Amino acid sequence: MPLAPPLPVDLSGIQLDPAQGLARQLYQALRERILDGRLASGARLPASRDLAGLLGISRNTVTRAFDQLYAEGYVEGRVGAGTYVAALTGVVRPAPLAASGPAPSVALQRLQAHHLAAPLEGAPRAFRVGVPAFDLFPFETWARLSARFWRKPSPARLGYGDPAGDSQLRELIAAYLRNSRGLHCDPAQIVVTCGAQQAISLCAQLLVQPGDRVAIENPGYRAAGHAFAVAGAQLQGIAVDGEGLDTAALERVGSCRLAYVTPSHQYPTGVTLSLARRLELLDWAERHDGWIVEDDYDGEYRYSGTPLAPLAALDRQGRVLYVGTFCKIAFPALRLGYLVLPPSLAQAFARRRALDMRHSEIGTQAVMAEFIAAGHFQRHIRRMRSAARSRRDALLAGWPTGIPGCAPLPVVEAGLHLCVRLDSLARERALIAAAAQVGVEVNGLSSYWLPDSDTPADQRAGLVLGFAAVPEVAIATALRALRQAWLEPA
């Protein structure tokens, strides 16, 4: 009997339990070895057939595990040469511990397993996701307001401040939400944060106990999932369809008392949670004594009619925690967001935030307060909405037709990005790689899914494109490059 060929790397110690999902277990085992350095960057992984034979499992199982590693960027393929560990420069390799030294904490282990990918640096290009048209921000006005504040600041604002945030800014946020979003709240319910991510992390720290189940949209915003996972949550992915989060599927999840949702413009699919589903979700929270974390990250960008009323505006039982941000209207580096909390939670959240950061820097808060009070903020929102609509139209009008394996572009009525489906994960990889070769940024929809999703890999495939980051002329240039890269023979 011929001997099996030697494996290119040492994968000893991998043991799979047949009673559980084999592909999921193999994916976790390989990912763990990549993260802790046992599988070094550039290492060649075994062929799927060889690994399947070694572990006594089907080749399809290995392929599914590899597909998830591909989708999340842990491995990469080289044509005709196999599968290799990607260069993960942002991974923190734990140093070997001395025999008498302490073991890493559970929280640190969770953090290593759920690290955030480093954001893209430099000036935005088409079609970067999550970036507004900050080239239109009135920096001269902002600089004038900032100079006025710092020329002679009030001594009362130069000491230690309220960890919940500047009182004037919180009053203006409450007034803005009342007038623009139909959300009636008291300034005492608002906690100013360093962007939406800190707001989500606070929710995870205060509302989640280790082992709790947390429902999140699938596909969804992975950074939110990481925040809940680091707090010890068991993430439960809930499918998203044309009406948003599938509330019937949520009902079937046992022992779950927290749901994270993006109802105004689901991230990344772009659908809007229907009114019927909104009411069902609120009813679920009331019956299960649960919480809803509503992330309204780009709710100001609605291109037909006024922005939809948030879940928090429909909440009569104090079950919704509303996450808002200024970063999608101003620019990401501003790092200014806020939470609108049920009255029973506001004081606890402010105290918890004070442990991480005594209070936010006062200058940014004070200038934003004046920016709102003087009417600049509302004018800027109108300008940004108009620009985003125009840039959306440029993308829709110039999109290449006849891309093999690509569905038609969807109707885009809100937000700063769109999502288009593809027929396979292989097609997603090929299109993204070809786009990168011509300097165009395109995200893969497959990277937004939870690793243990039951959805077949090919059904997770798609492209996510931000359309607001660059002007129309840059969009047209990028579309010409994509047309050449995707449709014209080399």
Side-chain angles (χ1 to χ4, degrees):
M1 182 175 180
L3 295 175
L7 295 179
V9 291
D10 181 12
L11 296 178
S12 59
I14 294 182
Q15 296 182 346
L16 306 180
D17 182 358
Q20 302 181 38
L22 295 176
R24 168 67 172 164
Q25 292 179 70
L26 179 57
Y27 152 81
Q28 289 178 322
L30 293 174
R31 185 186 68 173
E32 179 180 349
R33 284 161 172 77
I34 292 171
L35 290 175
D36 66 17
R38 283 178 285 174
L39 289 177
S41 296
R44 182 179 181 275
L45 295 182
S48 57
R49 189 185 306 278
D50 295 338
L51 187 54
L54 173 70
L55 299 176
I57 57 179
S58 74
R59 188 179 180 186
N60 285 341
T61 297
V62 176
T63 299
R64 289 198 300 273
F66 276 15
D67 281 342
Q68 190 60 47
L69 292 169
Y70 270 115
E72 296 191 11
Y74 290 104
V75 301
E76 58 190 11
R78 300 179 187 172
V79 177
T83 301
Y84 291 77
V85 176
L88 303 178
T89 56
V91 174
V92 177
R93 308 291 188 190
L97 295 172
S100 60
S105 69
V106 173
L108 180 57
Q109 292 172 354
R110 293 195 193 107
L111 184 60
Q112 291 169 343
H114 295 278
H115 69 284
L116 291 179
L120 295 170
E121 297 180 352
R125 299 183 294 170
F127 293 96
R128 187 170 294 182
V129 176
V131 178
F134 58 70
D135 55 303
L136 300 180
F137 189 77
F139 290 103
E140 290 185 1
T141 300
W142 187 267
R144 186 173 66 253
L145 297 176
S146 181
R148 181 190 301 169
F149 172 77
W150 286 115
R151 192 172 296 120
K152 193 175 182 181
S154 165
R157 299 177 99 173
L158 295 181
Y160 289 106
D162 189 335
D166 180 69
S167 60
Q168 182 183 4
L169 178 58
R170 288 189 288 141
E171 289 174 2
L172 289 163
I173 290 173
Y176 165 71
L177 293 174
R178 180 172 60 253
N179 295 329
S180 69
R181 313 294 277 125
L183 173 53
H184 293 267
C185 59
D186 188 274
Q189 295 175 247
I190 295 173
V191 171
V192 177
T193 63
C194 294
Q197 189 63 35
Q198 187 186 46
I200 296 168
S201 295
L202 282 171
C203 294
Q205 294 166 24
L206 283 167
L207 301 180
V208 173
Q209 294 292 330
D212 285 355
R213 287 185 177 178
V214 169
I216 64 173
E217 298 160 327
N218 196 28
Y221 180 43
R222 293 297 302 278
H226 290 326
F228 289 112
V230 168
Q234 296 182 24
L235 302 183
Q236 183 69 48
I238 306 297
V240 174
D241 59 22
E243 293 187 63
L245 181 86
D246 185 347
T247 49
L250 176 61
E251 283 287 356
R252 295 192 290 270
V253 178
S255 303
C256 179
R257 294 182 54 231
L258 191 148
Y260 167 85
V261 292
T262 53
S264 293
H265 184 240
Q266 201 275 331
Y267 191 84
T269 66
V271 301
T272 299
L273 189 67
S274 68
L275 177 59
R277 294 272 179 91
R278 290 171 187 244
L279 297 176
E280 289 167 0
L281 185 56
L282 290 167
D283 180 64
W284 169 86
E286 182 179 353
R287 287 185 289 103
H288 292 272
D289 192 25
W291 303 107
I292 300 168
V293 177
E294 177 183 16
D295 189 350
D296 197 20
Y297 66 100
D298 65 359
E300 287 85 2
Y301 293 94
R302 188 84 186 167
Y303 308 120
S304 57
T306 58
L308 301 181
L311 274 171
L314 303 174
D315 180 23
R316 297 294 179 265
Q317 303 297 325
R319 295 292 173 187
V320 178
L321 295 83
Y322 179 89
V323 177
T325 180
F326 292 104
C327 298
K328 295 296 188 286
I329 289 294
F331 47 91
L334 187 68
R335 305 319 306 146
L336 192 61
Y338 53 89
L339 269 167
V340 181
L341 299 156
S344 62
L345 297 180
Q347 189 176 42
F349 270 68
R351 287 177 175 173
R352 177 63 185 87
R353 188 183 183 282
L355 295 178
D356 291 332
M357 180 181 292
R358 186 62 185 84
H359 59 84
S360 291
E361 186 269 329
I362 186 57
T364 301
Q365 296 184 77
V367 174
M368 179 56 76
E370 183 59 29
F371 191 72
I372 297 172
H376 302 299
F377 184 65
Q378 286 286 18
R379 285 193 293 274
H380 185 57
I381 287 177
R382 291 193 291 270
R383 184 185 307 118
M384 293 289 278
R385 188 181 295 133
S386 176
R389 181 190 293 110
S390 179
R391 296 177 183 192
R392 174 206 64 175
D393 292 344
L395 173 56
L396 296 178
W399 181 251
T401 58
I403 303 169
C406 184
L409 290 186
V411 175
V412 183
E413 297 180 340
L416 299 172
H417 72 269
L418 61 80
C419 175
V420 57
R421 299 284 182 156
L422 299 174
D423 65 1
S424 70
L425 197 59
R427 192 66 186 137
E428 178 189 283
R429 294 186 198 128
L431 292 178
I432 292 174
Q437 288 293 320
V438 295
V440 179
E441 296 179 9
V442 179
N443 283 11
L445 177 62
S446 62
S447 65
Y448 294 86
W449 294 77
L450 288 176
D452 58 354
S453 172
D454 294 331
T455 304
D458 284 343
Q459 293 182 25
R460 306 179 206 171
L463 302 176
V464 183
L465 302 99
F467 51 75
V470 296
E472 292 84 346
V473 63
I475 290 174
T477 300
L479 290 173
R480 285 194 297 271
L482 289 183
R483 190 174 295 108
Q484 182 178 9
W486 289 350
L487 296 176
E488 297 180 14

